[in-house]
Amino acid sequence: MRILGANDHLSGENERLTATIGMFDGMHLGHITLINALKEQTAVRQQSSAIVTFKQHPQLVVNPNGSPKVLMTLEKKIEAITETSPDYLILLDFDERLSQLTAREFMEFLHNQYNITTLVMGYNHRFGHERNVTFAHYVEQGLKVGIEVVKAPEYLGEYAPVSSSIVRQLIAGGRVEDAMNCMGHPFELEGKVIHGFHNGRGIGFPTANVGDISPEVILPHLGAYAVMVKFDNQWHQGMVNIGRRPTLDNGDDVSIEVNIFDFDDDIYGKAITLHFVRFLRLEFKLGSIEQLRDQLTHDKQLSRQILDKYISNKS
């Protein structure tokens, strides 16, 4: 896969591209349906394939105060797109200038700069400065600049409808299993193990405190979750608490602390990845440390059952 930026050109080359456009945040099943349609159209035309996306969410420019958190960092998005094997990734800055282009002007830019001659649109995708335009408008404007616009089929699988905004709502509500079903893979947080409160070890549940998480990425609702944990290229079962630790009176700061099952080594400073598999419970204050230990014991037993089943279903 070759990555092109705003200053790169294919206009002097003979290669013609069939492309699709989107944020591809979270790379969910709707995105996969769109990319499969891109591959089909590319094969029919015997052209190279291209995915056009943006470094930042368009709402950061259009509505900075209301821009959403994202499901993955730019680096993870590039990695996810790479796994779908397009010939080109066209990575653009969504800036004020780009936000003011009409659909025709944007397609003209794509045609002139990257030799895009076919554009595969998601069934409900919109682009360009105009509002409330129809698919027929894109087809008409595309023909004027040398681009054939075709519509991809809608994802109609078991978990339809699927969109990045729906997945964000699910994660914000703690419904990480539903989000996983919509995406086809677990929601992921990446960070680094940092020093924490060190209270868990004293009650038999040592935890790794996860920090250095991108502030752009959405966090699941406060509570406890069954998770798969990766560090040093190895996966482990675990459970994580996102919250304020009310039983231990640790203040108002939100922490992310993961108890890794059957593991008690020092991994301070290591990169760590969490895959959220199932919500366990909301965070609540218990009356004593003994009650907290009992609750954590129950959470661990339940998490093992959930994660054993998850691993079995994947194999």
Side-chain angles (χ1 to χ4, degrees):
M1 184 185 78
R2 180 179 171 189
I3 298 179
L4 303 176
N7 295 322
D8 295 311
H9 294 262
L10 283 181
S11 57
E13 303 180 25
N14 294 324
E15 192 170 15
R16 298 176 184 272
L17 304 186
T18 296
T20 191
I21 306 171
M23 265 304 293
F24 296 95
D25 185 27
M27 191 55 76
H28 54 64
L29 295 178
H31 293 139
I32 298 302
T33 299
L34 176 58
I35 291 172
N36 287 339
L38 170 67
K39 291 179 178 179
E40 291 173 3
Q41 294 293 333
T42 300
V44 167
R45 290 164 173 77
Q46 296 185 325
Q47 294 182 342
S48 298
S49 60
I51 292 176
V52 181
T53 192
F54 308 102
K55 295 179 182 179
Q56 56 282 109
H57 200 286
Q59 288 297 319
L60 282 172
V61 174
V62 177
N63 182 22
N65 294 326
S67 60
K69 296 281 188 177
V70 295
L71 298 168
M72 54 175 50
T73 62
L74 176 61
E75 291 74 18
K76 292 301 296 184
K77 182 168 74 169
I78 292 173
E79 181 181 311
I81 290 174
T82 301
E83 290 175 359
T84 69
S85 302
D87 296 303
Y88 292 90
L89 169 60
I90 299 173
L91 193 59
L92 303 176
D93 284 299
F94 194 91
D95 53 19
E96 186 67 29
R97 180 194 64 83
L98 198 60
S99 73
Q100 296 300 317
L101 295 181
T102 65
R104 175 174 175 171
E105 289 169 340
F106 184 55
M107 284 190 283
E108 194 169 26
F109 161 71
L110 295 178
H111 179 69
N112 293 342
Q113 189 141 336
Y114 305 111
N115 273 358
I116 292 174
T117 59
T118 306
L119 188 61
V120 183
M121 285 188 60
Y123 80 100
N124 65 348
H125 184 64
R126 299 287 183 272
F127 63 86
H129 186 64
E130 308 100 318
R131 297 288 180 230
N132 301 319
V133 298
T134 64
F135 177 73
H137 174 79
Y138 293 112
V139 173
E140 177 186 357
Q141 298 304 310
L143 289 174
K144 292 177 180 179
V145 302
I147 291 181
E148 180 186 4
V149 179
V150 298
K151 184 182 290 187
E154 178 183 0
Y155 168 70
L156 296 174
E158 181 180 357
Y159 302 102
V162 172
S163 69
S164 295
S165 59
I166 288 173
V167 175
R168 288 187 204 101
Q169 291 170 11
L170 292 172
I171 292 170
R175 297 169 58 187
V176 295
E177 185 177 22
D178 289 334
M180 177 170 60
N181 290 334
C182 288
M183 291 191 288
H185 57 86
F187 173 66
E188 175 180 296
L189 285 180
E190 288 187 321
K192 186 172 73 173
V193 178
I194 60 175
H195 286 303
F197 295 103
H198 304 293
N199 290 328
R201 185 174 301 277
I203 58 175
F205 290 89
T207 59
N209 194 275
V210 182
D212 280 3
I213 295 172
S214 170
E216 300 176 351
V217 176
I218 192 170
L219 292 181
H221 194 284
L222 301 187
Y225 298 83
V227 293
M228 295 298 298
V229 188
K230 183 181 180 182
F231 54 90
D232 290 340
N233 293 316
Q234 295 290 325
W235 285 100
H236 304 260
Q237 295 187 16
M239 59 184 183
V240 67
N241 186 76
I242 301 177
R244 298 184 175 89
R245 302 161 52 90
T247 305
L248 299 173
D249 295 323
N250 285 129
D252 292 329
D253 290 341
V254 173
S255 63
I256 301 175
E257 295 185 87
V258 57
N259 173 241
I260 305 166
F261 301 160
D262 306 318
F263 185 87
D264 194 21
D265 291 347
D266 182 10
I267 56 172
Y268 173 73
K270 290 185 180 290
I272 190 168
T273 301
L274 305 179
H275 278 188
F276 287 75
V277 177
R278 180 87 62 85
F279 176 78
L280 298 175
R281 60 175 174 83
L282 293 171
E283 186 177 54
F284 54 88
K285 185 169 184 175
L286 293 160
S288 66
I289 296 299
E290 289 73 22
Q291 289 179 359
L292 176 59
R293 185 184 292 112
D294 290 344
Q295 180 63 58
L296 293 176
T297 299
H298 171 76
D299 293 343
K300 185 173 183 177
Q301 292 171 347
L302 179 58
S303 293
R304 282 193 185 277
Q305 295 172 11
I306 292 167
L307 296 170
D308 284 343
K309 183 176 180 180
Y310 169 73
I311 293 169
S312 176
N313 289 340
K314 284 188 63 178
S315 61

